[in-house]
Amino acid sequence: MTQEHTVVALTLGDPAGIGAELIAKLLAQPAELGNAKIVLIGDPWLWERGQQVADVRVPTRALDSLAQARQAPAGLPLFVAVDTVRPEDVSVGQAGRAGGESVLRVLDRCMDAAQARQIDAICFAPLNKHAMKMGGLRHEDELHHFAEYLEVDGYFCEFNTLDGLWTARVSSHIPLKDATRYITRERVVAASALIYRSLQAAGNAQPRVAVAAVNPHGGDGGTCGREEIDVIAPAVADLNAQGIPVQGPYPADTIFLRARDGQLDAIVTMYHDQGQIAIKLMGFEKGVTVQGGLPVPITTPAHGTAYDIAGRNLANAQAMRNAFLIASRMGASYRNQAAA
């Protein structure tokens, strides 16, 4: 019987950033990538430039479309050439409309392939939200674009991961002054349940999840805010009643110490920087963003396009590799669930 490989689509990211060279470095070390079937989709000139910058040469097998990926022989990375942007329209190290439009076109094609069950997961190299908005993005971030495109009607949020630690957010890319409006019992329950189940899909059978408080010192018994008493603690009780063993709320200024000491696998934070500052300080060059709550696993490095070092062969591919491995594990899990 022929082994069924998980099919992971890779994209080159913003053409003005470090994405293409990251992918070249990633694919130059195939022994570190497991046995997933890799299908790279991008503009040929950009892929060629990425290899030149990274000073590597990666043999690939050409395909006409992503629809051929599942039936294609395993072994060499597969390459689907597209024509989305001209080199003369890209200025290395600068956000531009043409680059943002290219990113959207490639990601949309990958999502079409995922919906058609031609691929199992998507892993994209870093993109730039400003460039994407110039190129036609109508949402606050790529996650909301994915959710609309894939017709998601349930709860979704970004996860940030570092090695074995994952974080979720009850609110995300909004002004800080608006964050407390999003801290509801229902959203805390949804974010916690989603990261618990997503960790299981990524291979952690019994994840240890804790919820952060929002107020200083966890509200100090209500003297410094009541969200912990009125909203977060009742949400934790709801989760426990559902059989999801979530802990908390714990004060945000100490909860990451528990994670550092190996007591937790995931933390649910209340707003963007509450978790992002901690997890990026713990390992900026290794972190991964997982787009949680979508019908297809989608991952990317947690760092950005690094315009300041683009084209200089200085980019570290560790986070790109970690993002690929998570996409591969989750893609296999989702495929197995669909087949059951």
Side-chain angles (χ1 to χ4, degrees):
M1 180 179 294
T2 302
Q3 181 181 9
E4 181 72 17
H5 292 273
T6 303
V7 181
V8 181
L10 278 176
T11 80
L12 299 173
D14 188 316
I18 61 172
E21 64 181 275
L22 285 178
I23 297 298
K25 291 176 179 179
L26 175 74
L27 298 185
Q29 303 292 330
E32 300 179 15
L33 302 180
N35 62 356
K37 187 181 292 185
I38 300 167
V39 53
L40 176 62
I41 177 169
D43 291 75
W45 71 265
L46 182 57
W47 174 228
E48 181 64 27
R49 191 180 73 185
Q51 293 174 87
Q52 290 175 354
V53 172
D55 194 25
V56 298
R57 178 57 53 182
V58 180
T60 60
R61 187 191 310 275
L63 295 181
D64 292 329
S65 72
L66 287 167
Q68 299 174 321
R70 204 173 290 282
Q71 288 72 40
L76 291 177
L78 308 168
F79 181 65
V80 176
V82 293
D83 183 17
T84 68
V85 62
R86 299 178 302 179
E88 58 266 30
D89 292 333
V90 175
S91 297
V92 174
Q94 296 182 29
R97 179 198 60 78
E101 183 179 336
S102 168
V103 165
L104 285 168
R105 289 177 61 187
V106 171
L107 288 173
D108 288 354
R109 186 171 296 197
C110 289
M111 287 190 288
D112 289 340
Q115 288 182 309
R117 301 289 178 87
Q118 295 163 356
I119 62 173
D120 300 309
I122 301 167
C123 180
F124 63 90
L127 47 76
N128 181 275
K129 291 178 179 60
H130 178 55
M132 291 173 69
K133 288 177 180 178
M134 287 191 287
L137 179 67
R138 298 181 293 105
H139 301 281
E140 63 194 53
D141 55 29
E142 65 275 15
L143 173 58
H144 285 76
H145 174 71
F146 296 152
E148 180 183 87
Y149 199 96
L150 297 170
E151 300 180 332
V152 174
D153 56 10
Y155 186 83
F156 57 89
C157 71
E158 280 189 355
F159 304 141
N160 285 97
T161 81
L162 177 66
D163 297 329
L165 175 65
W166 289 40
T167 64
R169 303 194 287 267
V170 173
S171 69
S172 190
H173 296 116
I174 58 171
L176 183 57
K177 65 181 178 63
D178 298 330
T180 54
R181 292 194 294 108
Y182 288 78
I183 302 173
T184 66
R185 186 166 172 171
E186 294 75 17
R187 289 180 66 86
V188 174
V189 167
S192 303
L194 181 58
I195 199 168
Y196 183 86
R197 295 180 180 124
S198 297
L199 268 164
Q200 289 181 318
N204 187 332
Q206 295 181 312
R208 298 164 298 170
V209 179
V211 179
V214 64
N215 293 301
H217 306 160
D220 266 342
T223 62
C224 193
R226 291 193 55 87
E227 283 83 0
E228 290 74 19
I229 296 171
D230 297 337
V231 178
I232 304 175
V236 170
D238 291 344
L239 288 155
N240 293 164
Q242 296 173 25
I244 300 176
V246 171
Q247 310 168 44
Y250 297 137
D253 59 354
T254 58
I255 193 169
F256 278 89
L257 298 179
R258 297 172 185 262
R260 182 201 64 185
D261 294 341
Q263 300 174 26
L264 298 173
D265 301 307
I267 296 172
V268 179
T269 62
M270 296 298 114
Y271 58 91
H272 184 279
D273 286 359
Q274 192 179 48
Q276 286 290 80
I277 291 172
I279 205 164
K280 289 188 176 182
L281 182 63
M282 293 166 70
F284 180 76
E285 73 285 352
K286 298 186 292 182
V288 173
T289 297
V290 178
Q291 313 291 331
L294 305 181
V296 56
I298 304 180
T299 68
T300 189
H303 61 70
T305 50
Y307 286 148
D308 57 324
I309 62 169
R312 298 169 58 190
N313 196 19
L314 298 177
N316 185 330
Q318 184 60 55
M320 192 78 242
R321 182 171 293 106
N322 293 344
F324 174 84
L325 292 173
I326 291 174
S328 180
R329 290 197 300 272
M330 294 186 72
S333 177
Y334 278 48
R335 189 188 71 239
N336 292 337
Q337 289 176 15

